[in-house]
Amino acid sequence: QVQLVESGGGSVQAGGSLRLSCSPSLIISRLNHMAWFRQRPGQGREGIAALSTTPEFVASTYADSVKGRFTISQDTAKNTLYLQMDGLKPEDTGLYYCASSGGNWYLPLNVNEYNNWGQGTQVTVSS
């Protein structure tokens, strides 16, 4: 079981930026791929960004709702996954989760692809 610890959530005005961090208990390159999900009030958990964390396979993908505004990345030296969020909108408000998968890059934004989850960090964007 991989432990994932998120940080970096908070409150910001529309148009602002936040950077979320996720620190896994295992070496990030051994996790195959990781992703960020969010759960907006009254809605299910949706995948917004995913990244292959193995050096042999380079890939990333984004949900249309965040494409061009959010960037997923990793720092192998710090063993940390990031989500840089720019141009935040009130509809980005929600609980953000980090997740990891030991499986293949098949449906990387599908919640069922992931078996390890962080505790979540709240992001609130005011208008």
Side-chain angles (χ1 to χ4, degrees):
Q1 188 77 5
V2 181
Q3 306 300 317
L4 303 171
V5 179
E6 300 114 333
S7 61
S11 297
V12 65
Q13 289 192 325
S17 298
L18 285 172
R19 188 178 76 163
L20 306 183
S21 300
C22 175
S23 297
S25 59
L26 295 182
I27 297 174
I28 199 169
S29 60
R30 298 182 61 183
L31 296 176
N32 282 12
H33 56 281
M34 299 183 70
W36 290 97
F37 286 75
R38 71 180 175 194
Q39 188 162 12
R40 292 184 277 194
Q43 298 186 22
R45 201 170 292 190
E46 62 170 328
I48 56 173
L51 178 72
S52 171
T53 56
T54 60
E56 299 84 9
F57 178 64
V58 179
S60 62
T61 191
Y62 298 88
D64 288 343
S65 58
V66 305
K67 199 173 293 182
R69 299 188 297 124
F70 292 9
T71 304
I72 188 171
S73 65
Q74 62 175 324
D75 185 328
T76 54
K78 296 182 178 179
N79 203 52
T80 301
L81 181 77
Y82 297 104
L83 183 68
Q84 177 67 40
M85 304 186 293
D86 299 317
L88 283 161
K89 305 175 181 179
E91 53 263 42
D92 293 318
T93 294
L95 196 57
Y96 283 67
Y97 296 90
C98 172
S100 72
S101 170
N104 294 324
W105 184 266
Y106 180 55
L107 295 173
L109 295 181
N110 188 307
V111 65
N112 296 317
E113 295 287 299
Y114 296 86
N115 52 0
N116 294 295
W117 296 86
Q119 79 285 356
T121 185
Q122 179 67 35
V123 171
T124 302
V125 184
S126 58
S127 57

